[in-house]
Amino acid sequence: MTVYFEDIEVGTTERFGQYEVTREEVIAFASRYDPQDFHLDDAAAAASIFGKIPASGWHTCGMAMNMIVSHWKECGTADASMGGLGMDEVRWPHPVYPGDVLRCEIEVLDKRPSASRPEMGIIKSRWSVFNQNDTLVMTLISNGIWRTRAGKSG
């Protein structure tokens, strides 16, 4: 069953996911997309504020997106997702390290139908990502586009 824009309620919170962060993945991502020395080199990381190699914040965003899309596929929401308009207030209050196991919470903050496109609506939600110790490692506000029942055939 597909979950459409109309089915999503403001104020709801979903908790899900389990993503184990590996050293190999942290270094591979950083090598390609955020090649700062403290993401790539043990000595540079030890001399930094992190003390050991941390994941890039952008990598943390990607790991969260992986958990979210997997969750949407499991619960029938993926077919109604039409992409996003952007993210606001991205924060990384605590580093993510290899060996951490991440999970997500998404709270629906607001929703509005599109004024010009009846096949879609906008959902504003807060994403919170926690590690295995329930330490908050990332927050952001997502502005997603969702298919309405009027747009289900297109």
Side-chain angles (χ1 to χ4, degrees), residues 94-96 100-103 129-137:
H94 190 274
V96 170
D100 282 350
V101 179
L102 306 180
R103 67 175 180 83
V129 179
F130 299 87
N131 68 15
Q132 68 281 355
N133 300 316
D134 289 328
T135 302
L136 183 66
V137 298

Side-chain angles (χ1 to χ4, degrees), residues 33-80:
Y33 300 109
D34 190 357
Q36 298 180 78
D37 288 344
F38 54 78
H39 290 309
L40 300 169
D41 179 77
D42 289 312
S48 76
I49 63 170
F50 301 107
K52 58 185 176 179
I53 290 179
S56 166
W58 300 112
H59 186 189
T60 303
C61 288
M63 291 182 280
M65 192 73 207
N66 178 289
M67 286 184 281
I68 290 164
V69 172
S70 295
H71 175 69
W72 288 344
K73 287 179 178 181
E74 289 173 10
C75 68
T77 309
D79 292 341

Side-chain angles (χ1 to χ4, degrees), residues 71-110:
H71 175 69
W72 288 344
K73 287 179 178 181
E74 289 173 10
C75 68
T77 309
D79 292 341
S81 172
M82 299 175 74
L85 295 173
M87 304 291 184
D88 300 326
E89 302 176 24
V90 178
R91 302 284 184 266
W92 300 298
H94 190 274
V96 170
Y97 295 108
D100 282 350
V101 179
L102 306 180
R103 67 175 180 83
C104 292
E105 293 183 7
I106 296 182
E107 177 188 4
V108 178
L109 302 174
D110 192 25

